Amino acid sequence: MIPIRLRLHQFLSYRSAVLDLTSIHTACICGANGSGKSALLEALTWGIWGQSRAPSDDDLIHKGCKEAQVEVVYRAQAQVYRILRSRSLGSAGTLEWQIETSSGWRSLTRKGIRATQQAIQAQLRLDYETFINSAYLRQGRADEFTLKRPGERKQILAEILKLGVYEQWAEKSREFSRSARLQADSLHEQLQRLAGQEQDRVQLQAEADRLHQQQREWIEQQAADQANLEDLQTQMTRRQSLQQHYQQLTEQLHNLATTLKTTETQWRQQHQQQQELETLLAQEETILNGCRRYQALLTADQQLNQQFQQHQSLQQERQRLQDELREQQHQRLQQLQQRQHQLATLQAQAQADAQILQEAERITAALTAYRQAQAALNRYDQQQAEATPLWQQWQATQAQLQQERNQLQAQHQLLQQQVQHLQSQQAQVQQVQQAVVTLQGELADAEKRRVYHQRVQEKIQERQKFVHQLQERQRTLQRQWQLFEEKRHWIGIPVPGAEAGDLVVLHSCPLCTQPLTPDLRHLVIDKHQEEQKDLEGQLFVIREQLAVADREIEILQREYQALTAELQQLDEQFHHQGRLQHQLESGQQRLQQLHSWQTQLHSIATSLQQETFGAEIRQRLHHLHQQLTQLGYNDKDHALCRAEMERWRWALTKQADLQKAQERQGSLNQEIAHLHAQIRYLQTAPSQGDSTGSLRHLEAQLQTLSYDVAQHQAVRAELTQQQGWMHQWEKLQQAKQQWPAYQECCSDLAEMLQQQRRRFHQTNQQLEQVHHQLAQSPVVTEGQLKGLATIIQQRRQQQDLLLSQLGGIQERLEQSAHLAQQKAQLNQSLQQAKRNQLIYQELANAYGRNGIPALIIENVLPELETTANQILSRLTAHQLHLQFVTQRSGRRSSKLIDTLDILIADPQGTRPYETYSGGEAFRINFAIRLALSRLLAQRSGASLQTLLIDEGFGTQDQTGRQQLVAAINAVSSDFACILVITHIPSLRDAFPHRIEVERSPQGSRLHILS
């Protein structure tokens, strides 16, 4: 995939931008922090895969906008494609995929966004996770692999290589194995329960007969006890009825006594209230006199309240008039002060205008000089507008010439260092070649031992498989033997140590149920004994074969362990041979590269000495210099002319002030005279008299009203004291209305009291009669009934238990016929469950961390090491060489431990990666990361044609940065497009193209410079 054009519309910090990469091979994206450099790469990934670092697609929309759109045009497999992806706030967005044809763009969009995205990924052979781990080196992730502990690096490598699916398969296999084990345990428990449930059918039948007889006896006893219980319940019911009637009469007598007492209490209360009403009616004349005095005081209080309201109204009007007089005096004083301030301002303005009018001639002369300087400055500005583009072209051409010189010098320095390094390693190549020849002879014998070791392992597996088959055959024969043992009893074959009574004579054929004669019976017995002896012989042969196979396996395993220990020592020699072979091939490649670099070095040195590079650029510089000379522009004269114009600029302001002073000269004198007249009027004007007259009239009205506050308060106090007579009058009226009712109620209560006394006497006589009947009735206790009922209930529970036992025995009798068949099925299921458990356990081990993923990593590491060393050699001028070590011995024992150490070889020796400085560590990280990118792209089936680097180079010194740039240029032939994000100024000119990004109020903007 090679990007051609990228268009952003309201995406992140961009309002509208277009990035054309048609003619760009290697470029850097530069700009200040936060200007929008990384947003370009995020737009590329979001446009193609619909994924980015943002938590939500709504966060990708430019702030204040409602929609974002990205267009990506790319080339893949000699075809040009275009992707249009958009997103609106709160919606799912749209996706359009097209291909370029001779007649224009043709749509490849599928039905739905998900289907279209899957088609794009299938065409690219690259998903988002693979892209960001291969072609896209995101900021801060170059050291993600190397900074982990050696024990965690394999896990990181497995995640990058997407080996997590094997862990999922291993977990599923472990789950299936656990399920099979649980199933086997459950089946084993069922078999044990079935073995405990096997009982003799005759014993079960005898137990059932005994339970039936006991059930009949209990039914007879239950009937007798039930009749006795019913008699006792009848007697007890009659006595309870009498007791209930006695209790009702007792309660009725108690209620009558309570009612009688309540009636007497009510009669006394009514009689007392009647006497109180008669007393209140006797005081009628006194209450009427008090009410008349209260009405007279109420009338006097109303008259005094009217005088009080008039007095308050007059007091408020007097206060208002006084406030109005004070406000008029304050306003007149404010007007006087305002006119005086205006007069002072106009007098100051008149004095300033007089001074400006005196300088009229000097201002006119300065204005003439300013206009002359302005005309001269316009001529210089026009010359500058013509000279500036030429001067900028001259500077850009000069910088381009200097850049070409710097590139040649950097290339010359890098080639010189590489040539020196390769020359110093020629002797090492010869030593490595001799060591390879020596080691190949030693490893030829080791390879034979390895083949024999493999054959021993295959033989062990073959014998183990044979043992497994024998064990299966043995279990089958043992099941048949058990069936024959079960048949021995009911056929009648004698067993050593068995009694004659334990045998059942066979009178009918077990298959066809036909009667058997004595001869036929003996024939069946002989046939059974013959088959059983055959089974015994087969079991004996299988046991002998198992013993022989176990001895063979033990011998082969000892030999296999000895060979394994021997081959473990030889593995290091094989790894050493691979490293020597790799060093030899690299040395031969370096010798070939040496001749090429020497030729390039001589050509570059000649060009630098003779200044033969950049002929076209030098010709453009000469032409631009001639044009600038003919134009004759001088920036010093331009600056002097600008200063002269600024020196006379004050005349413009003074001219405007002079014109205003001339216009104001007549009107100012008139305004000053008018203000003098207004001030004299305000100082001598008399006060207003309307408010003063109204105030004197109000004072006279207050004196005429003669309102007395003390008299009003005394009337209110006496009125409060006399309020009780009105309440007494109301009670008197109520008493007149209630006295007849109370008199009638007292009469009714007296009559009701006589009737209740007669009823109380009758109820007492009935109670004595019922008491006599209870004394003659027999007593049946609750204990007797409960005891007899308990016996009946216990016997009923025993009968239920007896029925349950009978049902259980009947069910066991019915199930006894199916126990043998069910047991055989359970045995077969148990064997299948155990077999499944072993199979899934083996699969879990194979899919586990030390299984297939470990083999894949072991096969990948040599390729990764070779690619990383090729890149690291370019970055460090062949000064560093890395090696991946997957096993090492423990600190306390000689047992090998799985690890993934990174060892770095330099001119001083070999040491771990963690001991290197920041600059060197960054180069190692960059080499490993780029090697991982190539490896991941190859595994995905895609060709890595685009490289995006969003890594800071701040940890590198000047030399390290130059080497990194040189390395990127060196590997540039492997890629069709390389984009590097940086904010370091010294690296901007190191690339042939530069994409500058800047932030503005209208959003981020980009410019492409060559």
Side-chain angles (χ1 to χ4, degrees):
M1 187 274 293
I2 305 171
I4 299 175
R5 186 174 71 254
L6 180 65
R7 184 177 64 84
L8 294 78
H9 179 66
Q10 297 177 0
F11 183 85
L12 288 178
S13 60
Y14 291 87
R15 291 297 297 270
S16 181
V18 177
L19 178 59
D20 190 357
L21 301 174
T22 305
S23 59
I24 294 179
H25 177 241
T26 303
C28 74
I29 303 175
C30 55
N33 289 331
S35 59
K37 302 185 296 298
S38 300
L40 294 175
L41 304 186
E42 291 298 325
L44 180 63
T45 60
W46 185 75
I48 296 178
W49 289 279
Q51 299 186 48
S52 65
R53 289 183 290 186
S56 173
D57 286 350
D58 289 344
D59 297 332
L60 300 173
I61 301 175
H62 188 77
K63 187 176 181 180
C65 299
K66 297 182 179 180
E67 182 183 10
Q69 186 179 18
V70 171
E71 176 188 357
V72 181
V73 180
Y74 66 93
R75 179 180 291 105
Q77 301 176 2
Q79 294 287 339
V80 177
Y81 298 89
R82 181 170 69 176
I83 298 176
L84 297 171
R85 189 185 297 272
S86 64
R87 172 75 178 190
S88 299
L89 284 175
S91 65
T94 60
L95 177 61
E96 178 72 19
W97 186 34
Q98 302 171 351
I99 184 173
E100 187 180 29
T101 62
S102 58
S103 59
W105 295 102
R106 179 170 59 85
S107 177
L108 300 176
T109 307
R110 303 295 194 269
K111 186 178 181 180
I113 296 178
R114 179 177 298 179
T116 305
Q117 187 63 53
Q118 291 176 355
I120 294 174
Q121 291 182 185
Q123 188 269 331
L124 291 176
R125 299 180 183 177
L126 200 67
D127 58 7
Y128 176 71
E129 293 296 331
T130 305
F131 179 77
I132 63 175
N133 284 295
S134 59
Y136 187 6
L137 276 65
R138 302 176 76 169
Q139 188 172 2
R141 295 186 62 173
D143 55 355
E144 182 180 16
F145 175 73
T146 52
L147 285 183
K148 296 293 183 180
R149 292 194 299 270
E152 298 177 353
R153 287 176 183 148
K154 275 192 175 182
Q155 183 64 27
I156 296 297
L157 186 59
E159 293 176 0
I160 293 177
L161 295 176
K162 297 184 178 180
L163 301 181
V165 65
Y166 289 101
E167 182 61 28
Q168 298 176 4
W169 294 346
E171 183 61 29
K172 289 183 179 180
S173 299
R174 285 191 287 268
E175 291 179 1
F176 291 151
S177 178
R178 287 193 293 268
S179 300
R181 179 173 56 81
L182 293 176
Q183 184 181 4
D185 295 342
S186 176
L187 292 172
H188 184 68
E189 292 177 359
Q190 294 180 18
L191 284 172
Q192 290 179 347
R193 288 196 299 269
L194 288 178
Q197 293 175 0
E198 292 180 354
Q199 296 181 1
D200 187 56
R201 185 178 182 85
V202 176
Q203 295 178 356
L204 291 175
Q205 187 64 41
E207 181 68 15
D209 294 340
R210 185 185 66 80
L211 292 176
H212 280 299
Q213 180 63 27
Q214 187 175 1
Q215 182 183 16
R216 286 192 293 271
E217 294 176 357
W218 284 355
I219 289 174
E220 295 175 357
Q221 294 177 2
Q222 190 79 351
D225 291 341
Q226 186 67 31
N228 294 332
L229 179 64
E230 290 176 357
D231 293 339
L232 292 176
Q233 286 177 348
T234 302
Q235 296 176 6
M236 187 175 182
T237 302
R238 184 173 177 278
R239 183 174 179 83
Q240 286 178 351
S241 177
L242 290 173
Q243 288 178 347
Q244 185 177 4
H245 186 50
Y246 181 81
Q247 182 68 24
Q248 290 176 355
L249 291 174
T250 303
E251 292 178 356
Q252 185 176 1
L253 185 63
H254 177 72
N255 293 334
L256 288 173
T258 304
T259 305
L260 182 61
K261 184 176 179 180
T262 302
T263 305
E264 290 177 352
T265 304
Q266 291 178 356
W267 180 82
R268 292 189 185 95
Q269 291 177 353
Q270 293 292 330
H271 185 68
Q272 183 180 0
Q273 291 179 359
Q274 183 181 6
Q275 292 177 353
E276 291 176 356
L277 292 175
E278 290 175 353
T279 303
L280 183 63
L281 290 172
Q283 298 175 357
E284 181 177 2
E285 186 64 28
T286 305
I287 294 172
L288 291 175
N289 292 332
C291 289
R292 294 188 189 99
R293 178 57 183 168
Y294 176 76
Q295 292 293 334
L297 290 173
L298 186 61
T299 303
D301 181 65
Q302 291 177 354
Q303 293 175 358
L304 289 173
N305 282 333
Q306 292 177 358
Q307 292 179 2
F308 173 73
Q309 292 176 0
Q310 293 176 3
H311 183 269
Q312 288 293 106
S313 177
L314 293 174
Q315 288 283 357
Q316 293 175 0
E317 183 66 20
R318 183 177 62 179
Q319 183 66 33
R320 185 186 65 78
L321 291 175
Q322 290 175 353
D323 294 340
E324 186 176 350
L325 284 174
R326 286 194 294 268
E327 180 67 24
Q328 290 176 0
Q329 293 174 0
H330 180 67
Q331 289 180 358
R332 183 187 303 169
L333 182 59
Q334 284 184 345
Q335 291 177 2
L336 180 60
Q337 292 176 353
Q338 184 179 6
R339 299 300 187 275
Q340 289 176 350
H341 178 69
Q342 291 178 358
L343 179 61
T345 302
L346 292 176
Q347 288 176 348
Q349 184 66 43
Q351 186 177 1
D353 290 347
Q355 293 178 358
I356 291 175
L357 291 173
Q358 292 176 0
E359 297 179 356
E361 295 181 358
R362 189 170 70 88
I363 292 172
T364 303
L367 185 60
T368 303
Y370 172 78
R371 291 173 177 170
Q372 292 176 356
Q374 186 180 21
L377 181 62
N378 291 334
R379 290 194 298 274
Y380 279 113
D381 288 341
Q382 185 176 2
Q383 292 178 357
Q384 183 187 23
E386 296 176 0
T388 299
L390 296 175
W391 177 251
Q392 291 178 350
Q393 293 178 13
W394 187 87
Q395 287 181 335
T397 307
Q398 185 69 26
Q400 187 176 1
L401 181 63
Q402 184 64 31
Q403 180 181 359
E404 189 170 349
R405 180 184 289 106
N406 293 338
Q407 290 178 354
L408 287 175
Q409 289 176 352
Q411 189 175 2
H412 180 271
Q413 183 180 2
L414 179 61
L415 288 173
Q416 190 174 9
Q417 293 176 357
Q418 294 174 346
V419 166
Q420 292 175 359
H421 179 72
L422 290 178
Q423 289 175 351
S424 64
Q425 292 183 350
Q426 290 182 358
Q428 297 179 2
V429 174
Q430 296 178 358
Q431 295 176 1
V432 170
Q433 186 173 8
Q434 184 177 1
V436 168
V437 174
T438 304
L439 190 60
Q440 285 178 349
E442 297 176 357
L443 293 178
D445 297 334
E447 186 62 27
K448 295 178 181 179
R449 301 290 294 169
R450 186 184 297 278
V451 173
Y452 181 69
H453 175 267
Q454 183 67 25
R455 291 178 180 176
V456 171
Q457 184 180 9
E458 293 175 355
K459 187 66 175 177
I460 292 173
Q461 294 176 354
E462 180 183 355
R463 300 310 297 169
Q464 289 177 346
K465 183 177 179 181
F466 178 67
V467 168
H468 181 71
Q469 294 175 351
L470 289 177
Q471 291 174 348
E472 289 290 333
R473 178 60 180 167
Q474 184 182 21
R475 285 192 289 270
T476 302
L477 294 176
Q478 286 176 350
R479 286 195 297 270
Q480 295 178 3
W481 172 264
Q482 291 176 357
L483 293 176
F484 278 115
E485 287 295 321
E486 292 174 359
K487 293 178 180 178
R488 180 188 296 275
H489 179 77
W490 58 267
I491 290 179
I493 301 174
V495 181
E499 298 181 359
D502 297 336
L503 301 179
V504 178
V505 178
L506 187 66
H507 295 288
S508 60
C509 178
L511 299 179
C512 62
T513 66
Q514 296 294 327
L516 289 177
T517 62
D519 295 338
L520 290 176
R521 179 176 176 276
H522 287 296
L523 181 62
V524 171
I525 292 173
D526 294 341
K527 181 65 174 177
H528 183 274
Q529 291 178 347
E530 182 180 353
E531 292 178 354
Q532 191 169 7
K533 288 180 181 180
D534 187 19
L535 283 176
E536 290 178 353
Q538 293 181 18
L539 285 172
F540 178 77
V541 173
I542 289 175
R543 293 192 190 98
E544 290 296 325
Q545 290 178 345
L546 284 173
V548 173
D550 290 339
R551 288 194 297 272
E552 291 179 356
I553 290 174
E554 183 179 359
I555 295 171
L556 289 173
Q557 285 180 344
R558 286 199 298 269
E559 185 177 4
Y560 178 78
Q561 293 176 356
L563 290 172
T564 302
E566 182 180 353
L567 291 176
Q568 285 180 352
Q569 299 176 359
L570 296 175
D571 286 339
E572 182 61 29
Q573 294 183 1
F574 279 106
H575 289 302
H576 184 54
Q577 181 194 20
R579 290 194 295 271
L580 290 176
Q581 189 68 30
H582 173 67
Q583 293 178 5
L584 180 61
E585 294 176 358
S586 300
Q588 292 175 354
Q589 293 178 0
R590 287 196 294 270
L591 290 177
Q592 296 176 0
Q593 189 69 29
L594 177 61
H595 298 294
S596 174
W597 284 349
Q598 286 176 345
T599 303
Q600 295 179 13
L601 187 64
H602 177 71
S603 175
I604 293 172
T606 303
S607 178
L608 288 173
Q609 291 176 359
Q610 298 180 1
E611 295 288 339
T612 58
F613 62 89
E616 183 180 355
I617 297 175
R618 296 175 188 274
Q619 184 177 359
R620 288 204 306 270
L621 281 175
H622 179 69
H623 180 66
L624 290 172
H625 182 71
Q626 288 179 352
Q627 291 180 347
L628 288 171
T629 303
Q630 292 175 1
L631 190 59
Y633 169 73
N634 191 342
D635 54 351
K636 294 182 180 179
D637 294 340
H638 192 181
L640 291 174
C641 183
R642 185 179 290 105
E644 180 69 15
M645 188 187 72
E646 293 296 329
R647 189 166 67 89
W648 296 109
R649 185 178 294 277
W650 63 269
L652 292 176
T653 306
K654 290 294 182 180
Q655 183 190 16
D657 294 341
L658 180 61
Q659 292 177 355
K660 292 180 181 179
Q662 290 174 353
E663 294 174 356
R664 287 194 301 262
Q665 187 174 9
S667 60
L668 279 176
N669 294 329
Q670 295 178 0
E671 292 180 1
I672 289 172
H674 182 67
L675 286 174
H676 276 297
Q678 290 181 353
I679 291 171
R680 287 193 299 269
Y681 173 76
L682 290 173
Q683 289 175 348
T684 59
S687 301
Q688 299 293 332
D690 294 339
S691 299
T692 304
S694 299
L695 186 61
R696 286 195 296 269
H697 180 66
L698 286 174
E699 292 289 347
Q701 289 180 351
L702 285 171
Q703 293 177 0
T704 304
L705 185 61
S706 65
Y707 169 73
D708 189 357
V709 179
Q711 180 185 1
H712 194 181
Q713 292 177 352
V715 170
R716 285 184 176 178
E718 187 178 359
L719 182 63
T720 303
Q721 294 176 357
Q722 298 296 330
Q723 285 180 352
W725 291 110
M726 296 302 296
H727 180 64
Q728 292 293 329
W729 184 81
E730 292 176 356
K731 292 175 64 176
L732 177 62
Q733 297 300 320
Q734 292 178 359
K736 290 180 179 180
Q737 295 176 0
Q738 295 175 358
W739 187 83
Y742 276 102
Q743 186 179 11
E744 182 180 358
C745 183
C746 286
S747 301
D748 294 339
L749 288 174
E751 182 179 357
M752 185 184 300
L753 189 60
Q754 294 296 327
Q755 294 176 359
Q756 290 176 354
R757 286 173 180 172
R758 288 194 298 271
R759 193 180 303 145
F760 179 80
H761 179 69
Q762 293 174 359
T763 304
N764 193 14
Q765 291 178 353
Q766 293 177 3
L767 183 64
E768 290 177 354
Q769 294 176 1
V770 173
H771 181 72
H772 178 70
Q773 293 177 0
L774 280 173
Q776 296 178 355
S777 175
V779 179
V780 179
T781 62
E782 290 287 342
Q784 294 175 349
L785 291 175
K786 288 183 179 179
L788 189 57
T790 301
I791 294 172
I792 294 174
Q793 181 65 24
Q794 290 177 353
R795 190 175 289 112
R796 184 178 293 110
Q797 292 177 355
Q798 291 174 355
Q799 288 179 357
D800 293 340
L801 180 62
L802 184 65
L803 290 175
S804 176
Q805 292 176 356
L806 284 172
I809 291 173
Q810 188 66 31
E811 184 178 359
R812 289 167 61 185
L813 287 171
E814 293 176 356
Q815 291 180 353
S816 61
H818 303 287
L819 286 178
Q821 182 180 1
Q822 187 177 0
K823 189 175 179 181
Q825 293 177 353
L826 289 176
N827 277 321
Q828 184 177 2
S829 300
L830 179 61
Q831 298 300 323
Q832 183 64 34
K834 291 181 178 180
R835 191 180 300 108
N836 292 339
Q837 180 184 358
L838 293 175
I839 292 173
Y840 287 123
Q841 187 62 39
E842 291 294 330
L843 288 176
N845 296 333
Y847 292 143
R849 182 179 298 178
N850 297 325
I852 297 175
L855 294 176
I856 293 176
I857 293 176
E858 290 292 337
N859 293 330
V860 162
L861 282 176
E863 180 182 355
L864 179 64
E865 180 179 333
T866 302
T867 307
N869 279 321
Q870 292 176 356
I871 300 172
L872 187 59
S873 298
R874 299 178 183 179
L875 292 176
T876 61
H878 301 282
Q879 296 295 318
L880 298 180
H881 184 274
L882 64 87
Q883 176 186 358
F884 293 114
V885 178
T886 58
Q887 290 182 340
R888 60 178 174 84
S889 59
R891 296 181 179 178
R892 299 181 181 179
S893 63
S894 60
K895 184 179 179 180
L896 295 179
I897 301 174
D898 288 337
T899 183
L900 186 55
D901 292 326
I902 302 176
L903 301 180
I904 310 299
D906 58 10
Q908 286 74 30
T910 302
R911 50 197 175 108
Y913 159 81
E914 290 78 6
T915 61
Y916 279 84
S917 63
E920 293 173 331
F922 180 82
R923 299 174 208 172
I924 297 171
N925 296 337
F926 184 78
I928 294 176
R929 186 66 178 81
L930 193 56
L932 284 172
S933 302
R934 290 185 174 179
L935 177 64
L936 191 59
Q938 292 174 2
R939 288 179 60 83
S940 66
S943 59
L944 192 61
Q945 296 177 299
T946 302
L947 180 62
L948 310 177
I949 303 175
D950 189 3
E951 290 287 347
F953 302 105
T955 58
Q956 303 295 303
D957 53 14
Q958 185 62 30
T959 304
R961 294 172 187 170
Q962 292 178 358
Q963 290 177 350
L964 281 173
V965 173
I968 292 174
N969 291 329
V971 300
S972 62
S973 59
D974 299 336
F975 301 94
C977 180
I978 300 177
L979 299 178
V980 181
I981 293 181
T982 182
H983 60 273
I984 300 176
S986 59
L987 290 178
R988 297 179 180 180
D989 298 333
F991 293 91
H993 295 87
R994 183 168 72 250
I995 302 172
E996 292 186 351
V997 181
E998 61 180 1
R999 193 70 177 265
S1000 68
Q1002 291 76 27
S1004 299
R1005 297 178 179 178
L1006 58 88
H1007 306 282
I1008 301 177
L1009 301 176
S1010 301

